[in-house]
Structures are given as structure tokens and as C-alpha cells.
Amino acid sequence: MTKENKVVAIQEIKDLLQDAKVVYVADLEGLNAQKSSDFRRAAFKQNIKVKVVKNTLLQKAMEQMEGVDYSEMFQTFKGNTAILISETANAPAKLIRDFRKKEEKPALKSAYLQETFYIGDQNLETLANIKSKEEMLGEIIGLLQSPIQRLVSALQNKAESAGAEETATETPAEEGETPAAE
């Protein structure tokens, strides 16, 4: 690879990392072309960007990034490396976990999300169980709606029971009968 190609490759990696809030580094070694293609297709469906990179170029790109010190991840840059970029914190971990139900790989090397580093494959289940922003908002809305729904239900039940009492006390005059004069 020429120096110009390396500069271009580093810039491409930096562009990927520029606004990334969620960065996973995985080992895809051992996946044949078909399985690798299946993994990429599954990632694409979940809006996860996957790029296989050279370790030295990834490290140089991360060293040049401003705002985040990725140096904790550098120790994991050995062997085959792919970066996974996503908007959803747990999506890459779930993708890896689901894919590994059938395969031995991919393996999680490291991850950076929510301003925290996770080093090693043993963190995969923890990362997969992290709630995404959408899931958290859904839970909060559900918690807020629950008391309101109970109140509305109680008011409806009271209105229905009050309406039933009213009709029970009023006995309609049968046909042919004239109401009694008082």
C-alpha cells in the first residue's frame, strides 16, 4: 500500500469515526465469503456500518481524532479487525450475539459507547443488554402513562356505574299506563 493510499484510508476511517457515538471493534477472522456477506447484509439492515481495516491505519486514524482518546482500545488491535459504527448503542452487540448462535465468530475486541470503553469479548452480553435511547424513552413514556391510564379507567368506571344507578332508579311507565297524579 502506497503512502497516498494509506493517507486516503486513514481519512476514510476518520470520516466514519467523526460523529460516531458508538464504535465496536470486532474480529471477523474465520468467516468465509458467504458468512461474511451474510454478516454485512444483517448489519446493513440494522443501519450498522461495517468496515474491515488494517490495525495500524485504524490506530493512526483514532490517534488523529479530536474529542475522544481511543488509546484504551489499541491493545485489542491484533489480527483481523472490522469496525462497526451505529447510532444505537446495543445494535452491534446484538448483531454479533445473534450471528454467533450459528457461528464461532465474530468476536468482540472492544467497544466505545456512552463515553465508556469495553475491552474484551466477555462484555458482549452486557453491551447487548444496554437499553437504547428509544427503548429508554418507551419505558419512561410507559411509566408516565400508567397512572394516567388508571385514572381515566377509574373515571370511566365511576361514570358508567353512576349512569347504571340512574337508569335503575327510573322505572319507565309501561305501555297503556298513565302516570299517577300526585
Side-chain angles (χ1 to χ4, degrees), residues 27-67:
D27 177 7
L28 301 180
E29 190 172 359
L31 294 180
N32 64 26
Q34 179 61 46
K35 292 173 185 171
S36 180
S37 180
D38 292 345
F39 182 77
R40 287 174 181 273
R41 215 174 277 116
F44 180 78
K45 286 179 185 174
Q46 295 180 34
N47 202 24
I48 300 169
K49 296 176 188 166
V50 178
K51 183 167 181 65
V52 176
V53 295
K54 289 185 171 258
N55 293 317
T56 54
L57 299 180
L58 177 59
Q59 184 168 338
K60 286 183 192 285
M62 286 182 159
E63 286 171 346
Q64 294 175 17
M65 296 299 298
E66 293 181 22

